[in-house]
Amino acid sequence: MNYTPGDLALTFEELYAVTAEAAYRYKDLVMVGRTNGQQALPITLGYKIAVWGFELRENIDRLHECSTRAFRGQLAGAVGTMASLGTQGLEVQARFLQKLGLSIPPIAWSVSRHHYAELMNDFALMAATMGKIGTEVYALQKSEIGEVEEVQGEGSVGSSTMPHKRNPFRAMELSTNARLVRGCAATLMECLELEHERDPRGASAEIPIFTQICSLVHASVERAIGLVKHLHVYPAHMQRNLDCLHGLIFSEAVMMQLGKRMGLQTAHAIVHELSMRAFQQECSLGELLKQDLRVQQHLSAEDIDAIMQPEHYIGLAPLFAERIKQQKDAYFSALKHDE
């Protein structure tokens, strides 16, 4: 099947819209944020999804920006000088390309094919964003985490030998396709070093690569739309994971409050000491803080309980989720106005 740039643009925009709406829907749903593969601080699911949305929007903008360069025509003769058209060469070229709806190049591009490589690398960036979505769902769907899950179709079978399996096949496909597209885009860079004024080796390699990239990207965007739109979310599992480190994810919040009273470096040293003890003994950081005489001088038990509430330390996460929806609404409003 052949996919046109218009087809891809529409599906990219649909994925952007679906992602922005999901970010807004979950803007206040608190979950744990992770850095270096470890629990870090509370965030919201909407904030996580908003990161995808802003990246998708930048990819769409990038494709719009390169479109004039990418969709340019060619009518310049064997070596690009228009010798066979005489003095009317530029006029003939302009009228011809105008009829085709293509932009006019500043010079023949037979051996200067950067515009094709640019477009396909922009597709690779879009595929990478969708791969990022798939990778994140893949990670969060792990049995030990279980915070989100791609929709499991009626009668779907995860494994031929393990009946209990609920595998994230769509998420895996997004990640796999992104890798394949990046490989194809890298090959296109090898097509830029061409000889003399015409070298068909570049075009011969481009044609099959274009087809593969567009097919993979189109397949990915359709999978990504369904994945985000029908994502299953498990708030109870998110709460369980917020609690599993016995309050350690609030170490920074406690340190910041103590730091206002005793200096940040002293507060860091105390909270670090108590955090390591809580980790090693698998006990509550909150209880250790309440029992520590150095902390008691500055924070009451009630203060500590208030600090160690996830919703009290999510910063501007909901605001960023709201911002992506506002950006999306403005984008589509402008498109409608342009029509």
Side-chain angles (χ1 to χ4, degrees), residues 81-333:
T81 63
M82 299 186 182
S84 63
L85 298 175
T87 58
Q88 295 181 311
L90 291 176
E91 181 182 357
V92 172
Q93 181 195 58
R95 293 174 66 179
F96 173 70
L97 297 183
Q98 184 179 22
K99 286 182 177 293
L100 295 177
L102 298 172
S103 64
I104 301 172
I107 197 168
W109 47 261
S110 296
V111 288
S112 184
R113 312 180 79 82
H114 296 79
H115 53 296
Y116 283 158
E118 179 186 12
L119 176 62
M120 293 299 123
N121 275 279
D122 285 347
F123 280 164
L125 288 172
M126 178 63 81
T129 297
M130 293 185 288
K132 180 200 299 287
I133 294 171
T135 295
E136 189 70 13
V137 172
Y138 182 92
L140 295 179
Q141 189 171 327
K142 291 178 180 178
S143 303
E144 295 81 2
I145 299 176
E147 293 175 349
V148 303
E149 181 184 46
E150 69 176 45
V151 64
Q152 301 291 319
E154 186 70 26
S156 62
V157 176
S159 167
S160 60
T161 62
M162 295 170 285
H164 71 281
K165 293 294 292 296
R166 295 167 68 88
N167 291 327
F169 290 121
R170 294 175 185 82
M172 289 189 286
E173 185 176 356
L174 293 179
S175 181
T176 299
N177 286 356
R179 287 169 167 79
L180 292 171
V181 171
R182 285 196 294 274
C184 290
T187 301
L188 282 178
M189 301 302 289
E190 301 300 321
C191 298
L192 299 180
E193 298 180 16
L194 302 175
E195 292 184 0
H196 306 307
E197 281 62 58
R198 188 178 293 274
D199 184 346
R201 292 177 296 176
S204 297
E206 287 167 354
I207 293 171
I209 291 175
F210 291 170
T211 301
Q212 186 170 8
I213 288 178
C214 290
S215 297
L216 287 167
V217 171
H218 197 277
S220 287
V221 74
E222 289 186 334
R223 301 296 189 280
I225 290 168
L227 180 62
V228 175
K229 189 182 239 181
H230 303 295
L231 191 66
H232 286 175
V233 176
Y234 297 96
H237 296 177
M238 293 178 177
Q239 185 60 54
R240 175 197 67 198
N241 293 334
L242 283 164
D243 296 336
C244 77
L245 288 187
H246 311 294
L248 285 173
I249 63 172
F250 303 107
S251 65
E252 181 187 87
V254 173
M255 180 193 68
M256 297 302 291
Q257 291 300 317
L258 274 178
K260 296 176 182 178
R261 297 161 173 83
M262 62 172 61
L264 199 59
Q265 292 303 315
T266 301
H268 185 284
I270 292 173
V271 177
H272 175 73
E273 173 194 327
L274 297 177
S275 295
M276 294 305 99
R277 191 188 309 170
F279 182 83
Q280 292 161 3
Q281 298 177 3
E282 296 188 4
C283 62
S284 167
L285 174 61
E287 291 306 310
L288 293 180
L289 289 164
K290 293 173 185 178
Q291 295 166 13
D292 191 279
L293 294 177
R294 297 166 296 180
V295 176
Q296 289 176 3
Q297 297 176 38
H298 303 286
L299 295 176
S300 67
E302 291 74 19
D303 291 334
I304 292 170
D305 287 339
I307 293 169
M308 301 181 77
Q309 295 297 317
E311 62 273 13
H312 293 171
Y313 207 68
I314 56 174
L316 301 179
L319 175 65
F320 288 113
E322 292 171 3
R323 181 179 290 178
I324 187 62
K325 184 179 185 304
Q326 294 166 356
Q327 184 197 65
K328 182 268 296 182
D329 290 343
Y331 175 82
F332 285 101
S333 177

